[in-house]
Amino acid sequence: MPPVTVVLSLTLLTILLTLSPSIAWRPWPNMKHNSSEYIYGNSKKYEGSSEFVHMKYHMGPVLTANITVHPIWYGTWLKSQKRIIREFINSISAVESKHPSVAGWWKTVQLYTDQTGANISRTVRLGQEKNDRFYSHGKSLTRLSVQSVIKSHVTARSKPLPINPKGGLYLLLTSTDVYVQDFCGQVCGFHYFTFPSIVGYTLPYAWVGNSAKLCPGVCAYPFAVPQYMPGLKAVRSPNGDVGVDGMISVIAHEIAELATNPLVNAWYAGPDPVAPVEIADLCEGIYGTGGGGSYTGQLLDGEDGATYNMNGIRRRFLVQWVWNHVVNYCTGPNALDQ
């Protein structure tokens, strides 16, 4: 084998072995982290407490600068679907929203700091977007080709996405007719950072797919229920779109973990940086008081029959809680939404 081919083969093998993105699961019945006991007097703000969980800081950077989310709309998207996702992102910093609010939920994420003591930014805003309606890399993506899609949009000849390693988050959103490696069977979304050898830069990114056609019972739970849980009844989604409403919690999951662990060397529990247990992983399946396993916890019911647990600027959303390392509990929006 020629020397150049050997080098290229070894480089590709290294990439494949290195690429182990942090993933977002949905609430499986047997998730080991989803303890339903809560210990904080009579408070209904803290769930999933565990003396065995040790969230640690590993000295890597967190996102203390203002955060800008750059959506890449891959495939076919309705304007109404884009509006739901855009408003959720804009709601993260909308502190005037009705309580319990998305902004109140984000305050738990803000508790995390870097080695200088600087907190994660309170400002999360919607940045420049790109449309990839012609499926530039096909309708079946691997984890590596996800990075190639991002590269094509940060290096585009016309209006490329800005390069911002310190505060930019690159969010690849795939439509219902796109399959991504391990989608539905193992993951609903994941985050990692781009490789300079592929993209040219090290940028925090996430992928989240619309599961409405492929596996709504897995990735849009509880707006749809899986076949192996016949006793459960799906609840009504707050924005009338099962797939997109299901995506919201996965997007929240990934943004929270990108902020606290953008290069997979900052905040996580467990000894393995290759498969870190991060602040949203610890609260998978917990959306309200008593949540854990297949039970979401106590939720809110709108007059229209829709189920949600927090308010945005003009919409309602269902978003899982995140781990509060100060009190060692999963925390909902009410805990700090004052």
Side-chain angles (χ1 to χ4, degrees):
M1 183 180 293
V4 174
T5 305
V6 172
V7 171
L8 290 174
S9 298
L10 289 174
T11 300
L12 180 58
L13 178 60
T14 300
I15 290 172
L16 289 171
L17 291 174
T18 303
L19 184 59
S20 179
S22 176
I23 60 177
W25 295 80
R26 303 308 290 150
W28 299 99
N30 59 347
M31 284 297 289
K32 64 182 179 181
H33 299 299
N34 293 351
S35 168
S36 61
E37 58 182 3
Y38 49 102
I39 311 170
Y40 205 77
N42 292 322
S43 173
K44 299 194 176 187
K45 302 176 181 178
Y46 304 93
E47 301 297 321
S49 62
S50 175
E51 60 184 296
F52 303 108
V53 174
H54 300 288
M55 178 64 65
K56 293 183 179 180
Y57 178 51
H58 299 267
M59 305 306 290
V62 301
L63 299 185
T64 57
N66 289 347
I67 298 168
T68 304
V69 180
H70 297 287
I72 300 171
W73 306 95
Y74 193 90
T76 303
W77 289 90
L78 299 175
K79 291 182 179 179
S80 60
Q81 295 175 320
K82 290 182 177 181
R83 282 196 295 267
I84 295 169
I85 293 173
R86 286 172 180 147
E87 184 159 323
F88 173 74
I89 294 170
N90 284 326
S91 293
I92 295 174
S93 296
V95 294
E96 300 303 320
S97 297
K98 180 182 177 181
H99 297 180
S101 68
V102 176
W105 166 84
W106 185 254
K107 287 181 180 179
T108 295
V109 181
Q110 287 180 251
L111 294 174
Y112 290 83
T113 60
D114 65 11
Q115 55 187 299
T116 71
N119 292 84
I120 287 174
S121 176
R122 65 173 289 182
T123 302
V124 180
R125 58 194 174 199
L126 186 67
Q128 184 178 329
E129 307 174 32
K130 294 291 284 187
N131 291 299
D132 198 327
R133 62 177 63 90
F134 298 115
Y135 309 88
S136 63
H137 289 68
K139 292 188 176 183
S140 182
L141 303 177
T142 66
R143 292 174 186 256
L144 287 178
S145 62
V146 163
Q147 293 204 23
S148 297
V149 173
I150 294 171
K151 175 186 178 179
S152 67
H153 292 291
V154 299
T155 61
R157 291 184 179 180
S158 175
K159 298 180 180 179
L161 294 178
I163 304 299
N164 182 6
K166 293 186 177 180
L169 299 184
Y170 301 82
L171 182 61
L172 178 62
L173 304 170
T174 52
S175 58
T176 58
D177 54 348
V178 177
Y179 175 76
V180 176
Q181 182 181 351
D182 298 325
F183 191 22
C184 297
Q186 295 184 33
V187 299
C188 300
F190 60 73
H191 75 87
Y192 208 60
F193 54 87
T194 61
F195 298 144
S197 58
I198 297 178
V199 180
Y201 308 91
T202 300
L203 304 171
Y205 77 93
W207 157 75
V208 179
N210 187 333
S211 67
K213 291 183 180 178
L214 294 174
C215 57
V218 176
C219 293
Y221 180 91
F223 307 125
V225 296
Q227 294 180 352
Y228 60 78
M229 301 167 71
L232 288 182
K233 182 180 179 181
V235 300
R236 182 174 178 180
S237 66
N239 297 291
D241 190 308
V242 168
V244 173
D245 276 316
M247 290 179 73
I248 292 297
S249 191
V250 186
I251 291 170
H253 179 127
E254 301 304 341
I255 291 177
E257 292 185 344
L258 277 168
T260 54
N261 199 27
L263 301 182
V264 200
N265 61 358
W267 287 96
Y268 62 87
D272 188 0
V274 176
V277 180
E278 300 172 280
I279 71 166
D281 299 326
L282 288 168
C283 304
E284 191 65 68
I286 297 177
Y287 297 80
T289 298
S294 59
Y295 177 53
T296 57
Q298 295 179 15
L299 305 177
L300 300 173
D301 294 317
E303 293 182 359
D304 58 354
T307 297
Y308 67 104
N309 66 350
M310 57 188 75
N311 296 286
I313 299 171
R314 289 173 295 273
R315 297 177 183 270
R316 300 161 298 174
F317 303 101
L318 183 66
V319 176
Q320 72 161 76
W321 291 7
V322 290
W323 189 259
N324 183 327
H325 71 293
V326 176
V327 295
N328 232 31
Y329 298 96
C330 293
T331 306
N334 282 328
L336 299 171
D337 199 358
Q338 304 296 333

